[in-house]
Amino acid sequence: MATEVDLQAALAHAIEWAQTAGTMIKQAWRSDGVTIEYKSSIDLVTEVDKAVEDYIMAQIKKTYPEHAVLGEESASAQGAYSLEAVPTWCVDPIDGTTNFVHHFPFSCVSIGFCIDRTPVLGVVFNPILNELFSAVRGGGAFLNGEPIHVSAATSIDRSVISTNVGFVRDAAGIEFILENMKALLTHNVRSMRSLGSSALEVCLVACGRIDAFYEFGIHPWDIAAAVCILREAGGVAMDPDGRPLDLTRRRILAAAPGLIEPISQALNTHPPFLPQ
Amino acid sequence: MATEVDLQAALAHAIEWAQTAGTMIKQAWRSDGVTIEYKSSIDLVTEVDKAVEDYIMAQIKKTYPEHAVLGEESASAQGAYSLEAVPTWCVDPIDGTTNFVHHFPFSCVSIGFCIDRTPVLGVVFNPILNELFSAVRGGGAFLNGEPIHVSAATSIDRSVISTNVGFVRDAAGIEFILENMKALLTHNVRSMRSLGSSALEVCLVACGRIDAFYEFGIHPWDIAAAVCILREAGGVAMDPDGRPLDLTRRRILAAAPGLIEPISQALNTHPPFLPQ
């Protein structure tokens, strides 16, 4: 079954959808009339997220009616989702919605494709900066068509490491987040970043602009595409606790290969707010 | 004395110097041969910083031989500096050097001008994204020639707040940094960012892309230009403890006016690593 999907043809489709979605995002970016809904005071959604997701979902259903689809907004609306072994598209219409709403130019559309629960295709497009990351399994990773590679970093004290500072707000969750930042600062990390888009942050690791990214709280649509891009760029994506990456387990460590072990050892990988 | 400086003429000069400096930075960005020196493992300088500072210093001395000049690299080399009431240019050749070295497109050249220790002119130019922020006192603030304004935010839980996570590495300093992040997370801040360039982060506040920025550890060359831009955009720059901003006191809270009081009250403003 799985081998019947022509990944290069699928990539061409995904790039076309991402570019059309990017035009929709960019038009909304330039207007001031975007309506914001609050899934919670720290989780926003706009009508642009919904329109972009509807557009991409319709394209997928038309082009690949036999494939499964997992989209952020539809999954959120349903309240539950699963990722099975069947060929499945994972779509985040706008990753970095808070940045989008605040006009910080670091948002993207993310279109990933999984077989056997493993990302085999990824397109991540930031239409504001006009940067399109892409990969299919075995074909290398690209930024606007140019090959990209992860950094050669091997020690925390020569690394720039990014994370999402604010995905939970209860006391135990805040302690967990800060405990991990403290561990990296104590290891004399060169610098920490927090940029507000996991898909783009994993892509920044892929192209060597930062050395590692970790997060507890992600969903498959946030990272499926970027994980394929990262791996094709020579990077490693795994569970921070050392297990293989499980896209539904809500956690990721994405890094240059030389950093996986030191970061995994430095972090507490058992967040109190997620199942272990 | 002070009133004899034609600020509009000075602005035209500063923009020209920033654009030439931007070309130098962009050329180096595109090459892979930048040599890095380590002031410390977390404080980098490249030959590009030095070449850009030399160029701008030479222009200032030629155009305004009667003015004082404060540049990051020359002040660092001397080990000490002072900012007096005389007309003084404050130059950071590359703010965000770590970003520059890591090819994260969030670095800038910053050229500020102070009279009576108060910023009256600022030019901050990110040549990679081609964004030039500018202002002179009383003339409004601009991004690529278009007027900019701070956000209307009035509460922490609807705000994106940025800070520098890693300016110190001793245990008491790390505790102080994390204590302040904890305070904002406990106040349910919408999102935190850490972007690695104080000059650009203050400019992001000026144009409403983020709502506030604070840092303990800055120098006059980091923020003199951006403070003028922020104030002309309707924002407030002050000492986080409520006192007026003193550019040499190493601390700043830059925010939309409605956020100054809640953030100032939430933060511990007495870092153990700086004189009080």
Side-chain angles (χ1 to χ4, degrees):
Chain A
M1 279 289 291
T3 52
E4 291 173 20
V5 182
D6 178 339
L7 288 181
Q8 286 296 343
L11 178 66
H13 285 303
I15 289 175
E16 186 195 324
W17 304 334
Q19 284 170 334
T20 301
T23 302
M24 297 167 74
I25 294 169
K26 203 166 176 175
Q27 279 171 350
W29 171 274
R30 287 179 175 155
S31 79
D32 278 331
V34 174
T35 305
I36 305 167
E37 288 173 32
Y38 295 87
K39 290 191 269 191
S40 74
S41 80
I42 61 169
D43 194 5
L44 318 184
V45 62
T46 71
E47 78 266 19
V48 189
D49 299 68
K50 293 176 181 174
V52 169
E53 179 156 323
D54 287 348
Y55 160 73
I56 296 174
M57 291 302 205
Q59 298 304 310
I60 293 172
K61 282 172 186 163
K62 194 171 68 181
T63 315
Y64 297 107
E66 71 282 17
H67 290 178
V69 184
L70 208 52
E72 177 176 17
E73 302 316 329
S74 36
S76 298
Q78 288 160 15
Y81 64 86
S82 65
L83 174 64
E84 308 298 338
V86 297
T88 303
W89 293 84
C90 297
V91 176
D92 194 346
I94 304 183
D95 187 65
T97 300
T98 299
N99 285 341
F100 172 69
V101 166
H102 285 255
H103 272 231
F104 180 65
F106 205 71
S107 308
C108 62
V109 51
S110 174
I111 304 176
F113 179 59
C114 297
I115 297 176
D116 291 329
R117 307 181 89 242
T118 301
V120 295
L121 177 158
V123 174
V124 173
F125 180 39
N126 177 342
I128 311 304
L129 303 187
N130 197 32
E131 293 195 328
L132 190 144
F133 297 87
S134 64
V136 294
R137 187 165 58 184
F142 301 88
L143 165 53
N144 291 344
E146 298 291 322
I148 53 174
H149 301 281
V150 294
S151 81
T154 56
S155 67
I156 292 174
D157 68 353
R158 291 287 167 101
S159 298
V160 177
I161 301 177
S162 177
T163 191
N164 180 348
V165 178
F167 38 90
V168 288
R169 290 293 187 286
D170 63 284
I174 292 172
E175 286 299 334
F176 173 81
I177 293 167
L178 298 179
E179 176 193 346
N180 275 337
M181 298 186 80
K182 181 176 177 176
L184 294 174
L185 289 167
T186 305
H187 278 80
N188 208 24
V189 61
R190 176 174 286 168
S191 206
M192 295 209 66
R193 296 284 179 270
S194 189
L195 306 172
S197 163
S198 7
L200 281 175
E201 283 166 288
V202 173
C203 288
L204 290 188
V205 179
C207 68
R209 292 185 193 162
I210 60 176
D211 303 294
F213 168 76
Y214 67 94
E215 181 167 343
F216 298 85
I218 47 89
H219 292 283
W221 48 80
D222 294 317
I223 53 156
V227 161
C228 180
I229 293 162
L230 173 70
R231 287 175 173 162
E232 288 300 318
V236 177
M238 59 180 291
D239 193 295
D241 71 8
R243 286 189 254 185
L245 185 70
D246 176 342
L247 287 178
T248 60
R249 205 171 165 246
R250 310 287 309 276
R251 63 202 85 200
I252 187 172
L253 170 58
L259 282 172
I260 287 288
E261 199 175 309
I263 295 176
S264 183
Q265 286 177 356
L267 295 179
N268 174 354
T269 58
H270 299 290
F273 48 90
L274 289 178
Q276 300 306 315
Chain B
M1 278 288 291
T3 52
E4 292 172 18
V5 181
D6 178 339
L7 287 181
Q8 285 297 343
L11 178 66
H13 284 302
I15 288 175
E16 187 194 325
W17 304 334
Q19 284 170 333
T20 301
T23 302
M24 297 168 73
I25 294 169
K26 204 166 174 175
Q27 280 171 350
W29 172 275
R30 287 179 176 155
S31 78
D32 278 331
V34 174
T35 305
I36 304 166
E37 289 173 31
Y38 295 88
K39 291 191 268 191
S40 74
S41 80
I42 62 169
D43 195 3
L44 318 184
V45 62
T46 71
E47 79 266 18
V48 188
D49 298 69
K50 293 176 182 173
V52 169
E53 181 157 321
D54 287 348
Y55 160 73
I56 296 174
M57 291 302 205
Q59 298 303 310
I60 293 172
K61 282 172 186 162
K62 194 171 67 181
T63 315
Y64 297 107
E66 70 283 17
H67 291 177
V69 185
L70 208 53
E72 178 177 15
E73 303 316 330
S74 35
S76 298
Q78 288 159 16
Y81 65 85
S82 65
L83 174 64
E84 309 297 338
V86 296
T88 303
W89 293 85
C90 297
V91 176
D92 195 345
I94 304 183
D95 188 64
T97 300
T98 299
N99 285 341
F100 172 69
V101 166
H102 286 255
H103 272 232
F104 180 64
F106 205 69
S107 307
C108 63
V109 51
S110 174
I111 304 175
F113 180 59
C114 296
I115 297 175
D116 292 330
R117 307 181 88 242
T118 301
V120 296
L121 176 159
V123 174
V124 173
F125 180 40
N126 177 342
I128 311 303
L129 303 186
N130 196 32
E131 293 196 329
L132 190 145
F133 297 87
S134 63
V136 294
R137 187 165 58 185
F142 301 88
L143 165 54
N144 292 344
E146 297 292 322
I148 54 174
H149 301 282
V150 294
S151 81
T154 56
S155 68
I156 291 174
D157 68 354
R158 290 287 168 102
S159 297
V160 177
I161 300 178
S162 178
T163 191
N164 181 348
V165 177
F167 39 89
V168 286
R169 290 293 187 286
D170 62 285
I174 292 173
E175 286 299 336
F176 173 81
I177 293 168
L178 298 178
E179 176 193 346
N180 275 337
M181 297 187 81
K182 181 176 178 176
L184 294 174
L185 289 167
T186 304
H187 278 81
N188 208 25
V189 60
R190 175 174 287 168
S191 207
M192 295 209 65
R193 295 284 179 270
S194 189
L195 306 172
S197 163
S198 5
L200 281 175
E201 283 166 289
V202 173
C203 287
L204 291 188
V205 179
C207 68
R209 291 186 193 161
I210 60 177
D211 303 295
F213 168 77
Y214 67 93
E215 181 168 342
F216 298 85
I218 46 90
H219 292 281
W221 49 80
D222 294 318
I223 53 157
V227 161
C228 180
I229 293 163
L230 173 70
R231 287 174 173 163
E232 288 300 318
V236 177
M238 58 180 289
D239 193 295
D241 71 7
R243 286 189 255 185
L245 185 70
D246 176 341
L247 287 178
T248 60
R249 206 172 164 245
R250 311 287 310 275
R251 64 202 83 201
I252 186 171
L253 169 57
L259 283 172
I260 286 288
E261 200 174 308
I263 295 177
S264 184
Q265 285 176 357
L267 296 179
N268 174 355
T269 58
H270 299 289
F273 49 89
L274 289 178
Q276 300 305 313

